[in-house]
């Protein structure tokens, strides 16, 4: 549950320990035009840790005051929040267990939830940034490529291929070209919008 700030030029660092009690920080996303970071947590803590909490939290950290200014649960009941990506509409879209959610960091309210169209998400869950002219947020799971469409808050399967069953690690370029590793092969797929 520690948060670390590292200066890449001087390599000096500062650690804030246990900013969310008994939870592990799984992902951070910058909130533009603020001094805030949106943080995602999990109740898990590693291979030898025994969870003490039943539900995971998200938080907003103010880098100026160096303090948590909000904690909450965009999807109550989840044990782990994965990656959250900021879309062009200012909403953070993320994964919580088997659910996709939208969260407005300005109002601190959940704007949508929907079941993921896959059972098992492939690492890292969602692409780093929205892609293509429609700003879709892509992810991989099971044997499928799925997309979150911020314009109408829908989540749908874009394509399926057996190679995705063994995918680990992927990247989607700004022009919506997907690259992923599957076994010993790198695959490329041009995604239509």
């Amino acid at each position: 549950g520690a948060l670390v700030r590292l200066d890449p030029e001087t390599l000096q660092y500062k650690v804030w320990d246990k900013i969310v009690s008994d939870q592990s920080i799984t992902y951070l996303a910058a909130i533009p035009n603020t001094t805030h970071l949106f943080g995602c947590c999990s109740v898990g803590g590693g291979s030898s840790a025994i969870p003490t909490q039943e539900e995971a939290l998200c938080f907003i950290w103010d880098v100026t005051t160096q303090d948590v200014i909000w904690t909450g649960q965009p999807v109550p009941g989840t044990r782990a929040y994965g990656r959250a990506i900021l879309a062009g509409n200012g909403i953070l879209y993320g994964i919580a267990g088997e659910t996709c959610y939208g969260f407005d960091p300005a109002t601190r309210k959940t704007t949508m939830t929907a079941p993921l169209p896959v059972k098992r998400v492939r690492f890292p869950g969602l692409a780093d940034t929205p892609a293509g002219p429609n700003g879709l947020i892509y992810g991989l799971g099971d044997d499928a490529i799925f997309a979150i469409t911020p314009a109408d808050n829908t989540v749908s399967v874009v394509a399926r291929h057996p190679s995705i069953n063994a995918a680990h690690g992927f990247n989607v370029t700004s022009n919506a070209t997907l690259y992923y590793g599957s076994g010993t092969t790198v695959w490329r797929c041009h995604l239509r919008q």
Side-chain angles (χ1 to χ4, degrees):
L3 181 67
V4 180
R5 180 186 65 208
L6 173 70
D7 183 326
E9 292 182 15
T10 66
L11 300 182
Q12 291 185 329
Y13 65 92
K14 181 170 181 176
V15 178
W16 294 271
D17 195 25
K18 299 179 184 176
I19 64 168
V20 179
S21 184
D22 296 328
Q23 304 218 2
S24 298
I25 299 170
T26 57
Y27 190 74
L28 296 171
I31 302 172
N33 304 315
T34 71
T35 58
H36 301 158
L37 296 174
F38 180 76
C40 302
C41 293
S42 167
V43 299
S47 61
S48 63
I50 298 171
T52 62
Q53 303 297 306
E54 292 296 318
E55 297 184 37
L57 296 171
C58 290
F59 65 93
I60 295 177
W61 174 264
D62 189 315
V63 299
T64 302
T65 64
Q66 301 177 11
D67 197 16
V68 174
I69 59 171
W70 175 87
T71 59
Q73 298 172 296
V75 182
T78 192
R79 295 179 57 81
Y81 289 93
R83 181 173 271 200
I85 304 300
L86 187 72
N89 61 3
I91 303 296
L92 287 155
Y93 290 91
I95 296 175
E98 297 175 356
T99 302
C100 173
Y101 68 93
F103 179 80
D104 185 337
T107 64
R108 299 177 185 164
K109 303 278 186 205
T110 301
T111 59
M112 65 78 73
T113 60
L116 281 171
V118 296
K119 293 196 183 303
R120 185 170 179 210
V121 177
R122 305 289 177 220
F123 177 82
L126 296 173
D128 292 332
T129 58
N134 296 323
L136 302 186
I137 300 169
Y138 290 99
L140 299 184
D142 301 336
D143 66 345
I145 303 163
F146 65 90
I148 302 167
T149 305
D152 62 6
N153 287 323
T154 58
V155 185
S156 60
V157 170
V158 174
R160 293 186 182 276
H161 193 272
S163 65
I164 299 171
N165 276 317
H168 186 81
F170 67 93
N171 186 12
V172 180
T173 65
S174 61
N175 67 350
T177 300
L178 166 67
Y179 293 89
Y180 62 95
S182 179
T184 59
T185 306
V186 174
W187 291 75
R188 179 181 67 194
C189 178
H190 300 290
L191 303 167
R192 290 187 218 150
Q193 294 226 350

